[in-house]
Amino acid sequence: MGLYNMNIPERMSTPETVSCSSRVVSTCPSRHCFLATFSRNSHSARPLVRTCVYTPTRIEGQTALKLEAQVVPPANLLNEILAPVKADMEQMNHNLKNVVGNRHPMLMAAAEQIFGAGGKKLRPVIVFLVAHSTAQREGLTELTEKHRRLAEITEMIHTASLVHDDVLDECNIRRGKETINSMYGTRVAVLAGDFLFAQSSWFLANLDNLEVIKLISQVIADFANGEISQAASLFDTDITLEQYLEKSFYKTASLIAASCRSAAVFSDSPVEVKEAMYNYGKHLGLAFQVVDDILDFTQSTEQLGKPQGQDLASGNLTAPVIFALRKSTELLDIVSSEFVEEGALERALELVRETGGIEEARLLARQQADMALAALECLPEGPARRSLRLMVDYVLERIY
């Protein structure tokens, strides 16, 4: 199945085709089908992004995907994505800061640091975009309050997981700013994360929709499963690509997939649209995680805000390493020794690059992006659908 014959668990199984409203879109048949191409401008060190947007065309009764290219400077890409939901996000940001402070004034400063730390808040952006597009499809003229609460819940759960991750990893910097635990101590950080999880659960229960409650509740369990899977596989050179993708689903894609489907639920979408939105979120989330793992090898310490190759140094073997291990016994020996010799980590990083591990991982990210784009075929044309397409380009643009 797919490019690498992956046997993926049922909850995140990857279909060869994505069906929506009795229309079927084949996924990209070639492992060299790029979703974005890049042209260098001689006056700038940063490439322009030529976004290759897939649009459906009818050919002899079949639905095919047609590439339409348009040049969008990277600096403008995020602004274009956000444009249809700018007002929604402003309202959400205001509401989020009040969630913690109104209930517990002692956490007001922490709330400002958590929700004002400069993050892009892409997950609620995606929720709002799916909500607008599915609402348009079902003839709704505006979003419901449940759509808006869902976006808040999604960001609260994600933020709570980051606060707890920073405690576990003893991380002092997040998004270029000091973390809660570095500023206020571990006790406040743990309590702030716990409160966000608890408050999001309360908001979730009050949505009064069993399907959504089950979807989002499973996400919190998936976070724990992902962390446990990662801890259990440190320095494990036998880890498979399937295991890596399963862990990545639990840690990153599960929340995006569940929130996308939930947005469709609140638009009263039919089951095939809800499934398509789940697939969009799942594959976008997997592409996002693969790209994040690539950046650990390609960006500088200054760009990353942490030492380059930190995941590898800690024994967390990601896609570039897994592909490289297939081709290098030297890398296998170095990782198995847990970098005990001086210069071992630097040599391991060189081997990942030399054996093509990064390029293979890029192809994997593009494969997941292909399937995310295919899942959008059932949505009506409009600003929200266009932004959902551009979101895929935005994720891929980071690896160039």
Side-chain angles (χ1 to χ4, degrees):
M1 178 183 293
L3 300 184
Y4 300 104
N5 297 317
M6 295 175 286
N7 296 315
I8 300 175
E10 182 178 355
R11 281 189 58 233
M12 54 168 291
S13 60
T14 303
E16 193 65 28
T17 58
V18 179
S19 177
C20 193
S21 296
S22 301
R23 290 172 287 181
V24 177
V25 182
S26 296
T27 56
C28 178
S30 168
R31 65 182 296 163
H32 299 293
C33 175
F34 290 2
L35 295 182
T37 59
F38 298 81
S39 57
R40 290 283 178 185
N41 185 321
S42 60
H43 302 293
S44 173
R46 188 163 176 78
L48 293 177
V49 180
R50 184 175 301 275
T51 60
C52 297
V53 178
Y54 278 117
T55 56
T57 59
R58 293 287 178 181
I59 302 177
E60 297 180 356
Q62 304 262 334
T63 301
L65 291 178
K66 176 184 176 183
L67 277 174
E68 292 183 353
Q70 55 188 12
V71 176
V72 180
N76 295 342
L77 192 56
L78 188 58
N79 288 335
E80 291 202 28
I81 291 169
L82 293 173
V85 297
K86 184 177 180 180
D88 299 317
M89 289 298 296
E90 288 174 354
Q91 179 182 338
M92 188 206 72
N93 287 331
H94 175 76
N95 292 345
L96 283 177
K97 289 182 182 180
N98 291 333
V99 165
V100 176
N102 286 348
R103 291 286 300 275
H104 296 286
M106 65 168 286
L107 294 179
M108 176 63 83
E112 180 64 33
Q113 185 68 10
I114 292 169
F115 295 120
K120 299 179 182 69
K121 298 182 174 67
L122 294 181
R123 287 157 185 81
V125 168
I126 295 167
V127 171
F128 280 128
L129 290 171
V130 171
H132 277 288
S133 198
T134 53
Q136 178 188 348
R137 186 187 187 280
E138 307 311 326
L140 302 179
T141 57
E142 58 184 23
L143 300 188
T144 68
E145 286 304 310
K146 290 185 177 182
H147 282 127
R148 300 188 185 283
R149 184 63 85 188
L150 174 65
E152 294 170 11
I153 290 169
T154 300
E155 182 63 11
M156 289 170 67
I157 291 174
H158 172 62
T159 302
S161 72
L162 294 184
V163 172
H164 282 175
D165 281 351
D166 290 341
V167 173
L168 291 172
D169 299 338
E170 299 181 347
C171 182
N172 294 323
I173 301 294
R174 165 80 65 179
R175 297 164 178 167
K177 294 188 177 182
E178 288 186 272
T179 57
I180 298 302
N181 56 302
S182 68
M183 293 182 66
Y184 303 104
T186 298
R187 180 180 177 83
V188 172
V190 171
L191 288 173
D194 287 349
F195 176 81
L196 289 173
F197 273 129
Q199 189 65 52
S200 64
S201 297
W202 172 249
F203 285 166
L204 180 62
N206 280 281
L207 290 176
D208 199 27
N209 185 292
L210 186 58
E211 180 179 0
V212 171
I213 290 171
K214 287 181 176 180
L215 280 166
I216 303 299
S217 297
Q218 182 61 50
V219 169
I220 299 175
D222 286 346
F223 281 155
N225 284 332
E227 289 296 335
I228 293 169
S229 296
Q230 181 168 302
S233 60
L234 295 179
F235 295 104
D236 180 6
T237 55
D238 292 324
I239 186 173
T240 65
L241 190 62
E242 291 86 347
Q243 290 170 324
Y244 162 77
L245 287 172
E246 181 179 6
K247 177 192 69 176
S248 299
F249 173 78
Y250 289 147
K251 287 173 63 68
T252 303
S254 175
L255 175 60
I256 303 175
S259 59
C260 285
R261 181 176 180 125
S262 297
V265 169
F266 290 134
S267 296
D268 291 327
S269 298
V271 63
E272 63 268 20
V273 175
K274 291 189 289 186
E275 289 173 356
M277 293 305 94
Y278 186 89
N279 282 328
Y280 172 80
K282 174 181 65 179
H283 295 300
L284 180 69
L286 289 173
F288 189 95
Q289 185 59 57
V290 174
V291 168
D292 247 18
D293 293 336
I294 292 170
L295 295 181
D296 198 44
F297 294 88
T298 60
Q299 288 193 335
S300 66
T301 297
E302 291 73 22
Q303 289 172 310
L304 289 168
K306 63 179 181 179
Q308 188 184 58
Q310 188 175 55
D311 283 341
L312 179 57
S314 65
N316 179 23
L317 308 187
T318 57
V321 180
I322 293 170
F323 286 121
L325 283 170
R326 297 176 176 179
K327 301 176 182 178
S328 174
T329 55
E330 181 184 356
L331 179 62
L332 180 65
D333 292 339
I334 292 174
V335 174
S336 297
S337 70
E338 301 186 12
F339 311 111
V340 291
E341 296 183 9
E342 184 177 352
L345 178 61
E346 290 74 17
R347 178 56 181 158
L349 293 172
E350 290 177 3
L351 288 169
V352 172
R353 299 186 187 98
E354 291 172 2
T355 56
I358 293 172
E359 279 305 313
E360 290 254 33
R362 282 175 174 154
L363 289 172
L364 176 60
R366 291 189 183 106
Q367 179 205 26
Q368 295 298 326
D370 279 339
M371 289 185 281
L373 284 172
L376 297 176
E377 196 270 336
C378 61
L379 297 179
E381 287 296 340
R385 173 172 164 166
R386 179 176 182 272
S387 287
L388 289 169
R389 292 190 193 117
L390 290 177
M391 183 67 76
V392 178
D393 289 318
Y394 177 77
V395 168
L396 291 180
E397 184 270 334
R398 298 185 304 149
I399 56 177
Y400 290 90

